[in-house]
Amino acid sequence: MADLLSDDEIADRLPDEWDREGDEIVRTYEFDEYLRGVNFAQMVGEIAEAQFHHPEIVIRYSEVEIRLTSHEEGGITDDDVEMATLIESERTS
């Protein structure tokens, strides 16, 4: 089980473009075409399955929102920040 991160640790480790909303970290990605967002969401799902850490994914017409939290711990842990970092690295590659 992972330990909850402190407010300072979250602020220091959170990837750029990600925000904290309560006990979750959140980012909304924008796409020019609906299917590009769907493909991105599938890629996030594959990363999540490999990490065994599953985000909430909301697909809209031109946006995909990703929300991460560690439900078992009741907040944000290293697992959430690591998952956000992996998503960012795949998005920019």
Side-chain angles (χ1 to χ4, degrees), residues 3-6 10 15 28 33-34 46 67 93:
D3 293 329
L4 289 175
L5 297 177
S6 70
I10 293 166
T28 300
E33 296 176 17
Y34 175 74
E46 291 172 7
R67 293 184 167 271
S93 61

Side-chain angles (χ1 to χ4, degrees), residues 54-89:
H54 303 94
E56 179 179 326
I57 303 172
V58 178
I59 302 170
R60 297 183 189 95
Y61 180 73
S62 61
E63 298 177 334
V64 175
E65 179 183 81
I66 308 292
R67 293 184 167 271
L68 291 160
T69 190
S70 293
H71 295 286
E72 316 79 44
E73 281 35 339
I76 302 165
T77 68
D78 276 328
D79 292 343
D80 302 302
V81 174
E82 179 181 339
M83 183 71 183
T85 301
L86 285 169
I87 293 168
E88 285 300 304
S89 69

Side-chain angles (χ1 to χ4, degrees), residues 34-54:
Y34 175 74
L35 286 179
R36 287 186 186 200
V38 170
N39 290 336
F40 173 72
Q42 179 177 345
M43 185 264 313
V44 170
E46 291 172 7
I47 293 170
E49 192 64 16
Q51 294 296 309
F52 200 71
H53 192 67
H54 303 94

